[in-house]
mmCIF file of all heavy atoms in Angstrom:
data_model
loop_
_atom_site.group_PDB
_atom_site.id
_atom_site.type_symbol
_atom_site.label_atom_id
_atom_site.label_comp_id
_atom_site.label_asym_id
_atom_site.label_seq_id
_atom_site.Cartn_x
_atom_site.Cartn_y
_atom_site.Cartn_z
ATOM 1 N N SER A 1 0.853 -1.191 0.000
ATOM 2 C CA SER A 1 0.000 0.000 0.000
ATOM 3 C C SER A 1 0.888 1.239 0.000
ATOM 4 O O SER A 1 2.011 1.214 0.483
ATOM 5 C CB SER A 1 -0.935 -0.008 1.202
ATOM 6 O OG SER A 1 -0.199 -0.018 2.388
ATOM 7 N N GLY A 2 0.359 2.313 -0.572
ATOM 8 C CA GLY A 2 1.136 3.540 -0.674
ATOM 9 C C GLY A 2 2.195 3.422 -1.751
ATOM 10 O O GLY A 2 2.090 2.607 -2.665
ATOM 11 N N LYS A 3 3.228 4.250 -1.622
ATOM 12 C CA LYS A 3 4.314 4.274 -2.608
ATOM 13 C C LYS A 3 5.560 3.630 -2.007
ATOM 14 O O LYS A 3 5.951 3.954 -0.879
ATOM 15 C CB LYS A 3 4.629 5.715 -3.025
ATOM 16 C CG LYS A 3 5.624 5.808 -4.171
ATOM 17 C CD LYS A 3 6.050 7.248 -4.470
ATOM 18 C CE LYS A 3 4.951 8.043 -5.104
ATOM 19 N NZ LYS A 3 5.414 9.394 -5.534
ATOM 20 N N ALA A 4 6.166 2.725 -2.765
ATOM 21 C CA ALA A 4 7.389 2.040 -2.329
ATOM 22 C C ALA A 4 8.297 1.847 -3.536
ATOM 23 O O ALA A 4 7.865 1.993 -4.683
ATOM 24 C CB ALA A 4 7.043 0.686 -1.706
ATOM 25 N N ILE A 5 9.533 1.515 -3.253
ATOM 26 C CA ILE A 5 10.492 1.204 -4.319
ATOM 27 C C ILE A 5 11.057 -0.179 -4.037
ATOM 28 O O ILE A 5 11.445 -0.486 -2.906
ATOM 29 C CB ILE A 5 11.610 2.249 -4.395
ATOM 30 C CG1 ILE A 5 11.015 3.604 -4.754
ATOM 31 C CG2 ILE A 5 12.669 1.836 -5.421
ATOM 32 C CD1 ILE A 5 11.990 4.743 -4.765
ATOM 33 N N ILE A 6 11.070 -1.009 -5.077
ATOM 34 C CA ILE A 6 11.694 -2.332 -4.995
ATOM 35 C C ILE A 6 12.927 -2.271 -5.885
ATOM 36 O O ILE A 6 12.830 -1.958 -7.077
ATOM 37 C CB ILE A 6 10.748 -3.444 -5.483
ATOM 38 C CG1 ILE A 6 9.459 -3.461 -4.653
ATOM 39 C CG2 ILE A 6 11.456 -4.803 -5.423
ATOM 40 C CD1 ILE A 6 8.382 -4.383 -5.207
ATOM 41 N N VAL A 7 14.087 -2.552 -5.293
ATOM 42 C CA VAL A 7 15.356 -2.521 -6.017
ATOM 43 C C VAL A 7 15.896 -3.937 -6.080
ATOM 44 O O VAL A 7 16.154 -4.550 -5.040
ATOM 45 C CB VAL A 7 16.383 -1.601 -5.320
ATOM 46 C CG1 VAL A 7 17.702 -1.583 -6.065
ATOM 47 C CG2 VAL A 7 15.826 -0.188 -5.157
ATOM 48 N N GLY A 8 16.052 -4.469 -7.272
ATOM 49 C CA GLY A 8 16.612 -5.804 -7.450
ATOM 50 C C GLY A 8 18.080 -5.690 -7.823
ATOM 51 O O GLY A 8 18.445 -4.869 -8.680
ATOM 52 N N VAL A 9 18.907 -6.502 -7.168
ATOM 53 C CA VAL A 9 20.350 -6.494 -7.439
ATOM 54 C C VAL A 9 20.843 -7.916 -7.688
ATOM 55 O O VAL A 9 20.329 -8.864 -7.098
ATOM 56 C CB VAL A 9 21.143 -5.839 -6.283
ATOM 57 C CG1 VAL A 9 20.752 -4.376 -6.116
ATOM 58 C CG2 VAL A 9 20.963 -6.580 -4.977
ATOM 59 N N PRO A 10 21.856 -8.074 -8.548
ATOM 60 C CA PRO A 10 22.383 -9.404 -8.847
ATOM 61 C C PRO A 10 23.021 -10.111 -7.656
ATOM 62 O O PRO A 10 22.876 -11.319 -7.515
ATOM 63 C CB PRO A 10 23.417 -9.154 -9.941
ATOM 64 C CG PRO A 10 22.980 -7.881 -10.589
ATOM 65 C CD PRO A 10 22.392 -7.069 -9.463
ATOM 66 N N GLY A 11 23.727 -9.371 -6.794
ATOM 67 C CA GLY A 11 24.371 -10.073 -5.698
ATOM 68 C C GLY A 11 24.954 -9.167 -4.638
ATOM 69 O O GLY A 11 25.645 -8.201 -4.955
ATOM 70 N N ALA A 12 24.664 -9.490 -3.382
ATOM 71 C CA ALA A 12 25.252 -8.771 -2.261
ATOM 72 C C ALA A 12 26.774 -8.854 -2.349
ATOM 73 O O ALA A 12 27.328 -9.851 -2.812
ATOM 74 C CB ALA A 12 24.777 -9.400 -0.952
ATOM 75 N N PHE A 13 27.416 -7.803 -1.940
ATOM 76 C CA PHE A 13 28.877 -7.688 -1.867
ATOM 77 C C PHE A 13 29.562 -7.552 -3.226
ATOM 78 O O PHE A 13 30.767 -7.403 -3.279
ATOM 79 C CB PHE A 13 29.522 -8.834 -1.066
ATOM 80 C CG PHE A 13 29.262 -8.755 0.408
ATOM 81 C CD1 PHE A 13 28.342 -9.591 1.015
ATOM 82 C CD2 PHE A 13 29.933 -7.841 1.201
ATOM 83 C CE1 PHE A 13 28.095 -9.523 2.379
ATOM 84 C CE2 PHE A 13 29.698 -7.757 2.561
ATOM 85 C CZ PHE A 13 28.772 -8.609 3.159
ATOM 86 N N THR A 14 28.826 -7.630 -4.333
ATOM 87 C CA THR A 14 29.477 -7.412 -5.627
ATOM 88 C C THR A 14 29.759 -5.915 -5.754
ATOM 89 O O THR A 14 29.007 -5.091 -5.214
ATOM 90 C CB THR A 14 28.609 -7.898 -6.807
ATOM 91 O OG1 THR A 14 27.400 -7.148 -6.834
ATOM 92 C CG2 THR A 14 28.311 -9.389 -6.700
ATOM 93 N N PRO A 15 30.832 -5.532 -6.453
ATOM 94 C CA PRO A 15 31.177 -4.104 -6.531
ATOM 95 C C PRO A 15 30.067 -3.202 -7.075
ATOM 96 O O PRO A 15 29.775 -2.169 -6.454
ATOM 97 C CB PRO A 15 32.427 -4.089 -7.413
ATOM 98 C CG PRO A 15 33.065 -5.427 -7.163
ATOM 99 C CD PRO A 15 31.883 -6.377 -7.020
ATOM 100 N N PRO A 16 29.393 -3.540 -8.194
ATOM 101 C CA PRO A 16 28.343 -2.627 -8.663
ATOM 102 C C PRO A 16 27.191 -2.489 -7.660
ATOM 103 O O PRO A 16 26.686 -1.388 -7.432
ATOM 104 C CB PRO A 16 27.852 -3.259 -9.966
ATOM 105 C CG PRO A 16 28.956 -4.144 -10.418
ATOM 106 C CD PRO A 16 29.608 -4.646 -9.159
ATOM 107 N N CYS A 17 26.779 -3.593 -7.056
ATOM 108 C CA CYS A 17 25.665 -3.547 -6.102
ATOM 109 C C CYS A 17 26.056 -2.758 -4.855
ATOM 110 O O CYS A 17 25.255 -1.991 -4.312
ATOM 111 C CB CYS A 17 25.229 -4.954 -5.711
ATOM 112 S SG CYS A 17 24.653 -5.930 -7.117
ATOM 113 N N SER A 18 27.295 -2.931 -4.425
ATOM 114 C CA SER A 18 27.772 -2.226 -3.242
ATOM 115 C C SER A 18 28.017 -0.753 -3.500
ATOM 116 O O SER A 18 28.177 0.022 -2.563
ATOM 117 C CB SER A 18 29.040 -2.899 -2.705
ATOM 118 O OG SER A 18 28.719 -4.202 -2.231
ATOM 119 N N SER A 19 28.040 -0.345 -4.776
ATOM 120 C CA SER A 19 28.125 1.084 -5.082
ATOM 121 C C SER A 19 26.735 1.671 -5.324
ATOM 122 O O SER A 19 26.520 2.863 -5.131
ATOM 123 C CB SER A 19 29.022 1.327 -6.300
ATOM 124 O OG SER A 19 28.411 0.860 -7.484
ATOM 125 N N GLN A 20 25.777 0.857 -5.717
ATOM 126 C CA GLN A 20 24.419 1.318 -6.008
ATOM 127 C C GLN A 20 23.587 1.517 -4.751
ATOM 128 O O GLN A 20 22.950 2.555 -4.571
ATOM 129 C CB GLN A 20 23.713 0.317 -6.927
ATOM 130 C CG GLN A 20 22.253 0.633 -7.171
ATOM 131 C CD GLN A 20 21.487 -0.514 -7.801
ATOM 132 O OE1 GLN A 20 21.881 -1.666 -7.696
ATOM 133 N NE2 GLN A 20 20.391 -0.189 -8.457
ATOM 134 N N VAL A 21 23.548 0.535 -3.894
ATOM 135 C CA VAL A 21 22.624 0.505 -2.759
ATOM 136 C C VAL A 21 22.867 1.620 -1.743
ATOM 137 O O VAL A 21 21.892 2.177 -1.213
ATOM 138 C CB VAL A 21 22.622 -0.896 -2.103
ATOM 139 C CG1 VAL A 21 21.842 -0.905 -0.799
ATOM 140 C CG2 VAL A 21 22.042 -1.912 -3.085
ATOM 141 N N PRO A 22 24.103 2.031 -1.461
ATOM 142 C CA PRO A 22 24.278 3.125 -0.503
ATOM 143 C C PRO A 22 23.525 4.405 -0.870
ATOM 144 O O PRO A 22 23.104 5.146 0.023
ATOM 145 C CB PRO A 22 25.797 3.351 -0.497
ATOM 146 C CG PRO A 22 26.352 1.995 -0.792
ATOM 147 C CD PRO A 22 25.397 1.439 -1.828
ATOM 148 N N GLY A 23 23.300 4.656 -2.142
ATOM 149 C CA GLY A 23 22.528 5.826 -2.542
ATOM 150 C C GLY A 23 21.110 5.791 -2.012
ATOM 151 O O GLY A 23 20.540 6.825 -1.630
ATOM 152 N N TYR A 24 20.520 4.607 -1.967
ATOM 153 C CA TYR A 24 19.168 4.473 -1.436
ATOM 154 C C TYR A 24 19.142 4.707 0.076
ATOM 155 O O TYR A 24 18.192 5.270 0.612
ATOM 156 C CB TYR A 24 18.570 3.109 -1.801
ATOM 157 C CG TYR A 24 18.193 3.042 -3.258
ATOM 158 C CD1 TYR A 24 19.084 2.545 -4.210
ATOM 159 C CD2 TYR A 24 16.966 3.526 -3.694
ATOM 160 C CE1 TYR A 24 18.753 2.513 -5.561
ATOM 161 C CE2 TYR A 24 16.622 3.495 -5.039
ATOM 162 C CZ TYR A 24 17.528 2.996 -5.967
ATOM 163 O OH TYR A 24 17.194 2.986 -7.308
ATOM 164 N N ILE A 25 20.208 4.303 0.752
ATOM 165 C CA ILE A 25 20.310 4.532 2.195
ATOM 166 C C ILE A 25 20.528 6.027 2.457
ATOM 167 O O ILE A 25 19.834 6.632 3.276
ATOM 168 C CB ILE A 25 21.467 3.701 2.796
ATOM 169 C CG1 ILE A 25 21.190 2.199 2.630
ATOM 170 C CG2 ILE A 25 21.680 4.060 4.265
ATOM 171 C CD1 ILE A 25 22.396 1.308 2.876
ATOM 172 N N GLN A 26 21.467 6.629 1.740
ATOM 173 C CA GLN A 26 21.804 8.046 1.946
ATOM 174 C C GLN A 26 20.637 8.971 1.623
ATOM 175 O O GLN A 26 20.480 10.015 2.248
ATOM 176 C CB GLN A 26 23.017 8.423 1.093
ATOM 177 C CG GLN A 26 24.288 7.750 1.529
ATOM 178 C CD GLN A 26 25.384 7.814 0.465
ATOM 179 O OE1 GLN A 26 25.181 8.298 -0.634
ATOM 180 N NE2 GLN A 26 26.552 7.300 0.824
ATOM 181 N N HIS A 27 19.826 8.610 0.640
ATOM 182 C CA HIS A 27 18.716 9.472 0.213
ATOM 183 C C HIS A 27 17.359 9.019 0.762
ATOM 184 O O HIS A 27 16.321 9.476 0.271
ATOM 185 C CB HIS A 27 18.666 9.530 -1.321
ATOM 186 C CG HIS A 27 19.881 10.144 -1.933
ATOM 187 N ND1 HIS A 27 20.207 11.471 -1.782
ATOM 188 C CD2 HIS A 27 20.860 9.599 -2.693
ATOM 189 C CE1 HIS A 27 21.327 11.729 -2.431
ATOM 190 N NE2 HIS A 27 21.751 10.603 -2.982
ATOM 191 N N ALA A 28 17.363 8.153 1.762
ATOM 192 C CA ALA A 28 16.106 7.607 2.295
ATOM 193 C C ALA A 28 15.142 8.704 2.729
ATOM 194 O O ALA A 28 13.939 8.616 2.456
ATOM 195 C CB ALA A 28 16.391 6.649 3.453
ATOM 196 N N ASP A 29 15.630 9.745 3.386
ATOM 197 C CA ASP A 29 14.752 10.828 3.831
ATOM 198 C C ASP A 29 14.186 11.612 2.651
ATOM 199 O O ASP A 29 13.034 12.047 2.690
ATOM 200 C CB ASP A 29 15.482 11.769 4.789
ATOM 201 C CG ASP A 29 15.719 11.121 6.147
ATOM 202 O OD1 ASP A 29 14.988 10.170 6.505
ATOM 203 O OD2 ASP A 29 16.645 11.577 6.855
ATOM 204 N N GLU A 30 14.993 11.793 1.605
ATOM 205 C CA GLU A 30 14.501 12.495 0.414
ATOM 206 C C GLU A 30 13.416 11.672 -0.282
ATOM 207 O O GLU A 30 12.419 12.227 -0.756
ATOM 208 C CB GLU A 30 15.654 12.789 -0.553
ATOM 209 C CG GLU A 30 16.638 13.813 -0.013
ATOM 210 C CD GLU A 30 17.867 13.922 -0.888
ATOM 211 O OE1 GLU A 30 17.745 14.435 -2.019
ATOM 212 O OE2 GLU A 30 18.949 13.468 -0.433
ATOM 213 N N PHE A 31 13.615 10.354 -0.351
ATOM 214 C CA PHE A 31 12.577 9.485 -0.913
ATOM 215 C C PHE A 31 11.296 9.615 -0.078
ATOM 216 O O PHE A 31 10.200 9.732 -0.623
ATOM 217 C CB PHE A 31 13.029 8.023 -0.960
ATOM 218 C CG PHE A 31 13.894 7.693 -2.144
ATOM 219 C CD1 PHE A 31 15.257 7.480 -1.996
ATOM 220 C CD2 PHE A 31 13.359 7.575 -3.416
ATOM 221 C CE1 PHE A 31 16.061 7.160 -3.086
ATOM 222 C CE2 PHE A 31 14.142 7.259 -4.514
ATOM 223 C CZ PHE A 31 15.504 7.054 -4.346
ATOM 224 N N LYS A 32 11.464 9.621 1.245
ATOM 225 C CA LYS A 32 10.310 9.732 2.137
ATOM 226 C C LYS A 32 9.573 11.049 1.897
ATOM 227 O O LYS A 32 8.340 11.083 1.874
ATOM 228 C CB LYS A 32 10.766 9.628 3.595
ATOM 229 C CG LYS A 32 9.625 9.387 4.572
ATOM 230 C CD LYS A 32 10.134 9.182 5.977
ATOM 231 C CE LYS A 32 10.343 7.705 6.182
ATOM 232 N NZ LYS A 32 10.591 7.326 7.565
ATOM 233 N N SER A 33 10.323 12.134 1.679
ATOM 234 C CA SER A 33 9.684 13.438 1.449
ATOM 235 C C SER A 33 8.913 13.465 0.129
ATOM 236 O O SER A 33 8.052 14.315 -0.072
ATOM 237 C CB SER A 33 10.721 14.565 1.488
ATOM 238 O OG SER A 33 11.517 14.561 0.316
ATOM 239 N N LYS A 34 9.207 12.516 -0.762
ATOM 240 C CA LYS A 34 8.482 12.415 -2.035
ATOM 241 C C LYS A 34 7.392 11.342 -1.974
ATOM 242 O O LYS A 34 6.896 10.894 -2.997
ATOM 243 C CB LYS A 34 9.453 12.139 -3.174
ATOM 244 C CG LYS A 34 10.375 13.334 -3.426
ATOM 245 C CD LYS A 34 10.957 13.291 -4.800
ATOM 246 C CE LYS A 34 11.759 14.559 -5.032
ATOM 247 N NZ LYS A 34 11.742 14.933 -6.420
ATOM 248 N N GLY A 35 7.072 10.913 -0.752
ATOM 249 C CA GLY A 35 5.954 9.996 -0.562
ATOM 250 C C GLY A 35 6.298 8.518 -0.540
ATOM 251 O O GLY A 35 5.410 7.680 -0.438
ATOM 252 N N VAL A 36 7.581 8.176 -0.630
ATOM 253 C CA VAL A 36 7.989 6.764 -0.616
ATOM 254 C C VAL A 36 8.083 6.295 0.836
ATOM 255 O O VAL A 36 8.907 6.790 1.598
ATOM 256 C CB VAL A 36 9.352 6.570 -1.335
ATOM 257 C CG1 VAL A 36 9.838 5.127 -1.181
ATOM 258 C CG2 VAL A 36 9.249 6.965 -2.792
ATOM 259 N N SER A 37 7.217 5.364 1.199
ATOM 260 C CA SER A 37 7.207 4.891 2.581
ATOM 261 C C SER A 37 8.348 3.916 2.863
ATOM 262 O O SER A 37 8.958 3.974 3.930
ATOM 263 C CB SER A 37 5.868 4.244 2.921
ATOM 264 O OG SER A 37 5.616 3.148 2.072
ATOM 265 N N ASP A 38 8.630 3.020 1.906
ATOM 266 C CA ASP A 38 9.669 2.011 2.126
ATOM 267 C C ASP A 38 10.424 1.706 0.851
ATOM 268 O O ASP A 38 9.877 1.817 -0.255
ATOM 269 C CB ASP A 38 9.037 0.708 2.651
ATOM 270 C CG ASP A 38 8.504 0.864 4.056
ATOM 271 O OD1 ASP A 38 9.316 0.908 4.991
ATOM 272 O OD2 ASP A 38 7.271 0.950 4.207
ATOM 273 N N ILE A 39 11.683 1.309 1.034
ATOM 274 C CA ILE A 39 12.548 0.879 -0.062
ATOM 275 C C ILE A 39 12.973 -0.546 0.272
ATOM 276 O O ILE A 39 13.453 -0.820 1.376
ATOM 277 C CB ILE A 39 13.779 1.794 -0.194
ATOM 278 C CG1 ILE A 39 13.341 3.232 -0.468
ATOM 279 C CG2 ILE A 39 14.730 1.273 -1.279
ATOM 280 C CD1 ILE A 39 14.446 4.270 -0.308
#
């Protein structure tokens, strides 16, 4: 329910995934301010 983001990644600890996912953590409050309840 509401607005959420589902992010699929090939594998934990792989270099591309480990560079992508921190952006979602760092910008979590900005996502929330745009109505995203959960990532």
